[in-house]
Amino acid sequence: KQEVTQIPAALSVPEGENLVLNCSFTDSAIYNLQWFRQDPGKGLTSLLLIQSSQREQTSGRLNASLDKSSGRSTLYIAASQPGDSATYLCAVFTGTASKLTFGTGTRLQVTL
Amino acid sequence: DAGVTQSPTHLIKTRGQQVTLRCSPKSGHDTVSWYQQALGQGPQFIFQYYEEEERQRGNFPDRFSGHQFPNYSSELNVNALLLGDSALYLCASSFGGSNQPQHFGDGTRLSIL
């Protein structure tokens, strides 16, 4: 059974800092890994998707890496801004189950 | 280009009642998946519909059922509501039902009194 863990559960940083969010998964037989952002009471916004054959993806100030063999992914946010405050969720797509398995998220607060 | 739309936005029910939630997929998508997100938790997979059939199912009781229509829209039905069914219900759509990216709606917030 696939399990996804995210560390830390919560993080508070001052504006301008670079930060790293961590995600680990137990079954390396994944098709892809997605990072999502969720604002309070809202749905999920996809940030980055990394296919199993890829090592990283970049979008603006965001960079996600994937090490499938060790079951790890990181989301790097450069020069954080107060507007980055949200919960960040990691999810892996397992082909045999055709579903996304989510971690419990990291709640990020960027302070002025 | 309309994204995934869900209705209603919020819903309040009492224990024992039944509820129907609705989802319209993103244009061009033919696969709909439903997730339940309890407060402070990550979303949990309920089931997936493709070609009007339930293709995969998560660890949810038979009180949770669904349907997909020929226009690819979908409904989630929950019978005999329990307090523990209070959650944000998210619908995601994708194309082909495989490993393509899933696009999520804003969800329906269901509260059980």
Side-chain angles (χ1 to χ4, degrees), chain A residues 39-99:
Chain A
D39 293 293
K42 298 294 187 180
L44 307 181
T45 300
S46 181
L47 299 173
L48 290 164
L49 179 144
I50 310 175
Q51 300 290 354
S52 61
S53 58
Q54 298 175 318
R55 297 284 298 194
E56 65 178 329
Q57 281 287 332
T58 298
S59 176
R61 294 182 294 108
L62 305 179
N63 176 276
S65 67
L66 173 64
D67 184 342
K68 202 174 81 160
S69 61
S70 67
R72 294 180 183 178
S73 176
T74 61
L75 177 66
Y76 175 83
I77 303 178
S80 58
Q81 303 171 357
D84 295 330
S85 299
T87 295
Y88 291 81
L89 291 157
C90 164
V92 295
F93 190 92
T94 306
T96 53
S98 286
K99 68 172 186 177

Side-chain angles (χ1 to χ4, degrees), chain B residues 37-97:
Chain B
Q37 186 179 24
L39 199 62
Q41 300 297 313
Q44 298 290 317
F45 175 75
I46 302 175
F47 43 53
Q48 182 183 82
Y49 277 84
Y50 175 66
E51 294 186 339
E52 301 181 50
E53 292 190 357
E54 181 183 293
R55 199 166 71 156
Q56 292 286 344
R57 188 179 183 91
N59 188 25
F60 279 80
D62 292 344
R63 299 187 297 109
F64 290 77
S65 63
H67 188 77
Q68 185 178 36
F69 299 93
N71 66 354
Y72 307 120
S73 66
S74 177
E75 290 181 347
L76 164 65
N77 302 292
V78 187
N79 295 323
L81 288 166
L82 304 173
L83 292 178
D85 296 331
S86 295
L88 180 68
Y89 288 84
L90 295 164
C91 170
S93 73
S94 58
F95 176 74

